[in-house]
Every structure is written in structure tokens, then in C-alpha cells.
Amino acid sequence: MIPAAFEYERAESVDQAIQLLTENGDDAKLLAGGHSLLPLMKLRLARPSVIVDIDRLADLEYIRESRDRIEIGALTRMCDVAGSSLLRERCGLLAEAAGQVGDPQVRHRATLGGSVAHGDPASDTPTALLALDAEFVAKGPGGERTIPASSFFTNLFETALSPDEVLTAIRVPKLSASTGWSYQKFHRRAIDWAIVGVAAIAERDDGHVKRAAVGLTNMGLTPVRAQAVEQALAGAAATPDSLRAAAERAPEGTNPPSDTNGSAEYRRELSKVLVRRALQEALSR
């Protein structure tokens, strides 16, 4: 299909983008890499009257250390996130998840911030960021604010960003050498969205699980934390039986969709398998 008619504006700065969003209200949408917005526009599931293009704001493309965290500019391409030596060394989970997005062509255009702001529960990187307890930096007419990942994703394709705000950066923690991680993704083809995905972080101490965080992809209207799994693992022995028992609780509190890729019940069973595999890999690193 062909998108509905729209006006096009190219922003030369973040402040200009905010001004254009403010002037045009809810009918304006930001365009970064385009791999989230443009498909919806072609299907006319999204019909913005004004497109504000921020793709050329080079000052939002970076990966750098920021005290105990790593800060990533919102327009950083997925290929750069996946290939970053800093992220590979200090926050490998995010680099791994970014490397599983689409194919090389998609990863060279798609941006981390665009994926986050789109709020698709089937997207890989939002789940990893949720498990990492990331922070999102947004700038609007009232200035800058920081939003924790736990309250950022609010509903299907909806986030805590206001219509006149621009996501400028994402901050993730530096993982310690004793912290393992894994991203498990089940899909039919390498370029497909996840039928189910699992992002896991686990820390072992003297044969027990000291800390665990587990995020689920495509198991609800937003990326979700598998809180029942995390609770079951707290202080548990890091044995195959305890990991299997914890993984059995993966579907608790979730609301997976049913579609042509699989039923809700299929996704619930699949989540148990992928959570177990993710925990095993994370604890073996």
C-alpha cells in the first residue's frame, strides 16, 4: 500500500525537532532509521500528518562510558551497537540482542532509539534494556528527564515519551566480570521478529544464584520481566533442577498473543524452554 499524504520537515537539531513536534501536536511523528514507522505507514496503521526527520543529527550517534554506565546516543545504528567493543566487553547482552535484529541491511539503518521509542513488544533490544534496568534520556520543551526502563513501556506501541519529547540517549550498566548473560530468540527465519525471546542476566556466588534478571520478548503488550522466575531464583542453588523449576514459572503474569506464528499457549510453553536455556548459558559464562 501507499502511505497517506503527509508533510515532511527535516530537523537540524534536537531543539528544532522539539519545536516542530510542539507546533504540530499529536499528528507529528519522528523519523530516524525508518524501519519501525515506515512499514506501519505503508499499511496505514499509522497516519501522521507531519514527519520530522532527525536521521541526520550526528550528535546523537555515539557509544561512550559515563561513570558506572555506558551511554548510547539514540540514533546509534544497530550494527554499531552490535559491533561495539565497549559493549561487547562491559554489556554484552545489549550487543548480542542488537546483533539479532533483522539482517545486515536492517541493522545498518535501524537505530537503537527508534526501536525503543516504537515500543514494539516483539522487538529484541527493548527486552534486553528492560532486563538491564536501563535508563532513557528524553528532552522536551520543559527540559531533560530520565525515565527508568521499568516504567518506560506502557502499552502496545506506547511509551512514557510525551508527543513533544525526543529520546536522546540510552544508559546501560557496566556488568561485572562475575555477571553472565544470554539472549535467546526463537523465530522461523533469521530476519523475523521473535516468536518469543528471552534476555537473562545472572550472577553466581558459591554455587548459588546471587542475582537474576529475566526479560521476555513478545509475551505481552510490552516487554515484560519474568518476576516469578526471578523470585524463584533468589538464593537458589545453581543446579539444573532449580533452573528448570524456575523456568517453569516463566509464563506467570504474561499475556502472550496468538497469531500465525503461534498460539498463546505455544508461546507460554516456548518461554519455559528459552528461559531455561538462557539461564544455563548466563550462569556458565
Side-chain angles (χ1 to χ4, degrees):
M1 292 181 65
I2 299 173
F6 60 88
E7 297 293 327
Y8 174 83
E9 298 279 0
R10 177 179 294 166
E12 301 297 334
S13 67
V14 172
D15 288 339
Q16 186 184 11
I18 294 170
Q19 180 182 349
L20 289 168
L21 291 175
T22 302
E23 291 173 352
N24 292 283
D26 292 350
D27 289 333
K29 294 292 182 184
L30 292 174
L31 177 68
H35 282 279
S36 297
L37 178 62
L38 294 183
L40 291 181
M41 291 177 62
K42 288 181 179 180
L43 294 171
R44 299 205 175 191
L45 296 175
R47 303 182 63 165
S49 61
V50 179
I51 291 294
V52 179
D53 189 348
I54 60 172
D55 189 51
R56 299 190 182 185
L57 301 185
D59 56 334
L60 294 185
E61 293 187 50
Y62 60 85
I63 301 173
R64 63 193 182 205
E65 293 188 72
S66 178
R67 298 181 182 176
D68 62 337
R69 290 185 168 253
I70 300 170
E71 184 171 294
I72 307 153
L75 294 185
T76 305
R77 309 293 166 178
M78 290 293 187
C79 63
D80 294 323
V81 175
S84 167
S85 58
L86 175 59
L87 286 172
R88 283 285 173 187
E89 180 182 353
R90 300 306 305 270
C91 192
L93 174 60
L94 180 57
E96 179 66 21
Q100 295 194 38
V101 173
D103 57 23
Q105 288 178 308
V106 169
R107 293 193 291 273
H108 276 77
R109 287 296 305 156
T111 64
L112 181 60
S115 174
V116 168
H118 188 52
D120 190 336
S123 187
D124 302 297
T125 51
T127 301
L129 293 167
L130 183 63
L132 286 164
D133 289 319
E135 297 176 345
F136 304 106
V137 182
K139 188 175 182 182
E144 191 174 271
R145 67 182 178 124
T146 300
I147 310 167
S150 58
S151 58
F152 186 83
F153 304 102
T154 58
N155 208 331
L156 184 65
F157 300 122
E158 294 181 7
T159 70
L161 290 171
S162 299
D164 55 1
E165 285 186 313
V166 176
L167 179 67
T168 59
I170 299 98
R171 296 176 184 146
V172 295
K174 297 177 184 176
L175 300 181
S176 67
S178 61
T179 302
W181 53 267
S182 175
Y183 188 72
Q184 299 286 327
K185 177 179 180 178
F186 188 82
H187 46 190
R188 292 182 175 179
R189 301 174 302 167
I191 63 173
D192 287 344
W193 300 96
I195 298 175
V196 174
V198 176
I201 301 169
E203 192 171 354
R204 183 199 296 262
D205 181 33
D206 194 25
H208 289 74
V209 181
K210 180 179 179 181
R211 182 178 73 93
V214 180
L216 302 176
T217 302
N218 216 2
M219 286 293 289
L221 296 178
T222 67
V224 295
R225 287 282 286 267
Q227 295 182 347
V229 174
E230 295 175 359
Q231 292 168 2
L233 286 172
T239 63
D241 286 344
S242 63
L243 297 185
R244 187 177 296 108
E248 285 294 311
R249 301 186 62 182
E252 293 183 22
T254 65
N255 182 29
S258 290
D259 54 30
T260 55
N261 289 316
S263 65
E265 185 58 32
Y266 175 72
R267 284 185 163 90
R268 291 188 185 97
E269 292 303 313
L270 182 57
S271 70
K272 300 176 186 178
V273 176
L274 295 183
V275 166
R276 176 174 52 81
R277 291 178 182 175
L279 291 171
Q280 287 173 339
E281 182 177 32
L283 288 167
S284 66
R285 284 185 181 272

